[in-house]
Amino acid sequence: QVRLVESGGGSVQAGGSLRLSCTASGDTYSMGWFRQAPGKEREGIASIGCNGYTTYTDAVKGRFTISKDKAENTLYLEMNSLKPEDTAMYYCAAARWCVLNPLHPTTYNNWGQGTQVTVSS
Protein backbone atom coordinates (compact mmCIF):
# COMPACT_ATOMS: atom_id res chain seq x y z
CA GLN A 1 0.00 0.00 0.00
CA VAL A 2 1.02 3.58 -0.70
CA ARG A 3 0.02 6.44 1.55
CA LEU A 4 -1.15 9.55 -0.29
CA VAL A 5 -1.41 13.01 1.24
CA GLU A 6 -3.11 15.83 -0.66
CA SER A 7 -2.73 19.54 -0.05
CA GLY A 8 -3.44 22.84 -1.75
CA GLY A 9 -7.22 23.04 -1.67
CA GLY A 10 -9.04 26.17 -0.65
CA SER A 11 -11.61 28.77 -1.59
CA VAL A 12 -11.28 30.97 -4.65
CA GLN A 13 -13.47 33.12 -6.81
CA ALA A 14 -14.50 32.05 -10.29
CA GLY A 15 -11.68 32.57 -12.74
CA GLY A 16 -9.05 31.98 -10.10
CA SER A 17 -6.40 29.29 -9.82
CA LEU A 18 -5.28 26.64 -7.37
CA ARG A 19 -2.53 24.05 -7.35
CA LEU A 20 -3.12 20.72 -5.68
CA SER A 21 -0.30 18.46 -4.55
CA CYS A 22 -0.28 14.78 -3.63
CA THR A 23 2.76 13.19 -2.05
CA ALA A 24 3.11 9.43 -2.16
CA SER A 25 4.98 7.40 0.46
CA GLY A 26 6.42 5.08 -2.19
CA ASP A 27 6.84 4.51 -5.89
CA THR A 28 3.74 4.58 -8.05
CA TYR A 29 3.18 3.79 -11.70
CA SER A 30 -0.19 5.36 -12.43
CA MET A 31 -1.75 8.30 -10.64
CA GLY A 32 -4.89 10.33 -11.03
CA TRP A 33 -7.06 13.07 -9.63
CA PHE A 34 -10.71 12.51 -8.86
CA ARG A 35 -13.38 14.75 -7.44
CA GLN A 36 -16.71 14.27 -5.74
CA ALA A 37 -19.34 16.91 -5.25
CA PRO A 38 -22.16 16.47 -2.70
CA GLY A 39 -24.79 14.09 -4.02
CA LYS A 40 -22.71 13.11 -7.03
CA GLU A 41 -20.53 10.15 -7.91
CA ARG A 42 -16.77 10.35 -7.75
CA GLU A 43 -15.42 11.26 -11.19
CA GLY A 44 -11.98 10.98 -12.68
CA ILE A 45 -10.71 14.27 -14.03
CA ALA A 46 -7.05 13.76 -14.87
CA SER A 47 -4.49 10.99 -14.87
CA ILE A 48 -0.89 10.32 -15.73
CA GLY A 49 0.13 6.85 -16.75
CA CYS A 50 3.23 4.70 -16.73
CA ASN A 51 4.60 6.26 -19.87
CA GLY A 52 3.73 9.78 -18.81
CA TYR A 53 0.65 9.89 -21.01
CA THR A 54 -1.98 12.24 -19.62
CA THR A 55 -5.74 11.91 -19.83
CA TYR A 56 -8.38 14.51 -18.99
CA THR A 57 -12.11 14.51 -18.76
CA ASP A 58 -13.76 16.98 -21.12
CA ALA A 59 -14.95 19.23 -18.30
CA VAL A 60 -11.39 20.23 -17.38
CA LYS A 61 -9.52 20.04 -20.68
CA GLY A 62 -7.63 23.22 -21.40
CA ARG A 63 -8.02 24.46 -17.82
CA PHE A 64 -6.34 21.81 -15.65
CA THR A 65 -2.87 20.34 -16.03
CA ILE A 66 -1.63 17.20 -14.32
CA SER A 67 2.05 16.60 -13.76
CA LYS A 68 4.29 14.36 -11.69
CA ASP A 69 7.66 14.82 -10.07
CA LYS A 70 9.04 11.29 -10.03
CA ALA A 71 12.00 12.16 -7.85
CA GLU A 72 9.72 13.57 -5.16
CA ASN A 73 6.89 11.03 -5.69
CA THR A 74 4.56 14.00 -5.94
CA LEU A 75 1.57 14.53 -8.19
CA TYR A 76 0.28 17.99 -9.05
CA LEU A 77 -2.91 19.42 -10.49
CA GLU A 78 -2.70 22.97 -11.74
CA MET A 79 -6.24 24.35 -11.96
CA ASN A 80 -6.92 27.56 -13.86
CA SER A 81 -10.07 29.39 -14.88
CA LEU A 82 -11.94 27.74 -12.06
CA LYS A 83 -15.72 27.62 -12.21
CA PRO A 84 -18.31 27.17 -9.45
CA GLU A 85 -19.06 23.72 -10.87
CA ASP A 86 -15.49 22.70 -10.02
CA THR A 87 -16.44 22.84 -6.34
CA ALA A 88 -15.85 19.39 -4.86
CA MET A 89 -13.64 17.28 -2.67
CA TYR A 90 -10.57 16.39 -4.70
CA TYR A 91 -8.83 13.06 -4.23
CA CYS A 92 -5.51 11.71 -5.35
CA ALA A 93 -5.30 8.05 -6.40
CA ALA A 94 -2.43 5.75 -7.26
CA ALA A 95 -1.65 2.25 -8.45
CA ARG A 96 1.58 0.29 -8.63
CA TRP A 97 0.71 -0.99 -12.09
CA CYS A 98 -0.04 0.46 -15.49
CA VAL A 99 -3.77 1.08 -15.53
CA LEU A 100 -5.96 0.52 -18.57
CA ASN A 101 -8.86 2.74 -17.57
CA PRO A 102 -7.16 5.77 -16.01
CA LEU A 103 -10.25 7.82 -15.15
CA HIS A 104 -12.26 5.06 -13.53
CA PRO A 105 -12.11 4.96 -9.71
CA THR A 106 -11.99 1.16 -9.47
CA THR A 107 -8.68 1.25 -11.32
CA TYR A 108 -6.79 2.46 -8.27
CA ASN A 109 -6.22 0.85 -4.88
CA ASN A 110 -4.61 3.73 -3.02
CA TRP A 111 -6.46 6.93 -2.12
CA GLY A 112 -5.71 10.11 -0.25
CA GLN A 113 -8.01 11.67 2.32
CA GLY A 114 -9.11 14.47 0.00
CA THR A 115 -8.78 18.23 -0.12
CA GLN A 116 -11.72 20.60 -0.52
CA VAL A 117 -11.93 23.06 -3.42
CA THR A 118 -14.63 25.70 -3.30
CA VAL A 119 -15.19 28.14 -6.15
CA SER A 120 -17.56 31.04 -5.60
CA SER A 121 -19.27 33.02 -8.32
Side-chain angles (χ1 to χ4, degrees):
Q1 288 285 4
V2 176
R3 184 168 178 258
L4 304 173
V5 179
E6 301 104 332
S7 61
S11 298
V12 295
Q13 289 192 326
S17 299
L18 283 173
R19 188 192 196 202
L20 304 184
S21 300
C22 171
T23 301
S25 62
D27 291 338
T28 59
Y29 288 95
S30 304
M31 297 188 79
W33 287 101
F34 290 74
R35 67 185 181 188
Q36 188 167 18
K40 294 188 176 182
E41 293 186 353
R42 188 169 297 190
E43 64 168 336
I45 57 172
S47 70
I48 187 162
C50 295
N51 57 1
Y53 185 78
T54 57
T55 305
Y56 298 92
T57 192
D58 288 346
V60 308
K61 280 181 183 176
R63 300 189 298 122
F64 292 9
T65 303
I66 189 172
S67 61
K68 183 180 179 183
D69 184 329
K70 291 182 179 179
E72 298 294 329
N73 283 333
T74 300
L75 184 73
Y76 300 99
L77 185 67
E78 187 73 37
M79 305 187 294
N80 298 314
S81 302
L82 283 161
K83 304 176 181 180
E85 52 262 44
D86 294 319
T87 295
M89 186 71 79
Y90 283 68
Y91 298 90
C92 171
R96 284 185 163 176
W97 55 80
C98 299
V99 303
L100 297 179
N101 196 352
L103 295 182
H104 199 283
T106 61
T107 294
Y108 302 92
N109 65 335
N110 298 281
W111 292 87
Q113 80 288 351
T115 185
Q116 177 68 35
V117 172
T118 302
V119 184
S120 58
S121 58

